[in-house]
Amino acid sequence: MSRVAIVTGAARGIGAATTDALVNDGYRVIAVDRCRDIPDIAYAMATPADLDDVVDRHGEAVLGLVGDVRSATDMQLAVETATRHFGRLDAVVACAGVIGAGGPLWEISDQAWDAVWSVNVLGTRRLIEAAAPTLIANGTQANGRVVAVASAAGSIGLRHLAAYTAAKHAVVGLIRGVAMDFAEFGVTANVVSPGSTRTAILEASAKVYGLESGEAFAAQQPIGRLIDPIEIAAAITWLCSPASSALTGADIAVDGGMTVS
């Protein structure tokens, strides 16, 4: 029987690429996205049409679900939908994330700070806590998987992006703690930390620094180019596979060398 995953932030960027990659690896996927804008986040979120495009690429292998990762009810619905529609749940991938609250920390409003933290950190928590009972009940031989997308900002500091930097550090710490909680149940939990990747978040970052486009960030990475979402998705898919069974609590840097230079 095919394995089943939930992917949040699935309508575009890394989430969409991860949905594609998991399907290509034999998974069936519940693709979840909010599909509407978020107050205090300055750029547009994905749309229902974006989510439909992802679903349409894969037919019956993907079921789209509009839901907010910050809502415990929505994340519980995602888990229930996976088990009802596909009969099981084997992996959850927290790709949903936003950037915002640009500027010096002392000029950031509480509302902007909370918007960044609620999606990146609370959203990751909500997905995991909803999925945990099912992943644990599958048994120690079921190779349950939890993967969260953090950022290179989870291990370094980014100027004028203190809220985002702190949130991504928190995602890394959250997953490391969760990995210890899950270990006795045969479920692994790991982080993938992208560098500058061609996404809406990168374009929003460029505006924080007054740059014309995210292409300017290619110079930050020793490989001399931006990363494509499919390259991040490849690492996530491997972490969802049986081949990664000895890895838990790890932070995998897929950043073109950004954090080692």
Side-chain angles (χ1 to χ4, degrees), residues 9 23 67 88 106 130 148 154 186 188 203-204 250-251 253:
V23 171
R88 58 188 293 152
W106 49 92
T188 65
E203 294 306 314
D251 180 8

Side-chain angles (χ1 to χ4, degrees), residues 1-4 28 82-84 86-90 134 138 142:
M1 180 180 291
S2 297
R3 286 168 65 82
V4 176
R28 292 173 294 174
T83 55
R84 183 177 64 252
F86 290 131
R88 58 188 293 152
L89 178 64
D90 303 278
T134 301
N138 288 342

Side-chain angles (χ1 to χ4, degrees), residues 43-248:
Y43 61 98
M45 298 295 102
T47 67
D50 292 327
L51 184 59
D52 288 344
D53 286 344
V54 174
V55 173
D56 290 345
R57 288 201 289 270
H58 301 293
E60 295 182 356
V62 176
L63 180 67
L65 183 66
V66 175
D68 191 326
V69 292
R70 300 172 297 182
S71 166
T73 300
D74 286 1
M75 292 303 95
Q76 187 59 48
L77 177 60
V79 172
E80 292 172 357
T81 302
T83 55
R84 183 177 64 252
H85 188 79
F86 290 131
R88 58 188 293 152
L89 178 64
D90 303 278
V92 294
V93 184
C95 290
V98 296
I99 201 165
L105 175 66
W106 49 92
E107 295 179 4
I108 302 305
S109 70
D110 287 350
Q111 293 82 1
W113 176 280
D114 289 347
V116 171
W117 269 69
S118 65
V119 176
N120 291 293
V121 186
L122 178 61
T124 301
R125 172 193 168 188
R126 292 295 188 220
L127 175 62
I128 295 169
E129 66 187 4
T134 301
L135 296 177
I136 290 168
N138 288 342
T140 57
Q141 302 304 311
N143 294 310
R145 299 288 185 261
V146 173
V147 183
V149 176
S151 167
S155 59
I156 60 176
L158 296 182
R159 179 175 175 267
H160 284 182
L161 287 171
Y164 182 75
T165 298
K168 290 304 188 180
H169 272 73
V171 170
V172 174
L174 175 67
I175 293 299
R176 284 175 172 160
V178 164
M180 298 302 97
D181 292 338
F182 272 134
E184 65 184 288
F185 303 109
V187 179
T188 65
N190 294 288
V191 176
V192 171
S193 287
S196 295
T197 306
R198 286 189 175 90
T199 61
I201 282 180
L202 191 68
E203 294 306 314
S205 301
K207 291 181 180 178
V208 170
Y209 300 115
L211 302 172
E212 290 187 5
S213 82
E215 292 295 325
F217 291 117
Q220 291 181 330
Q221 296 172 162
I223 62 173
R225 63 172 177 85
L226 297 181
I227 298 165
D228 192 275
I230 63 174
E231 295 175 290
I232 310 302
I236 293 170
T237 300
W238 180 77
L239 287 172
C240 288
S241 76
S244 69
S245 57
L247 201 68
T248 197

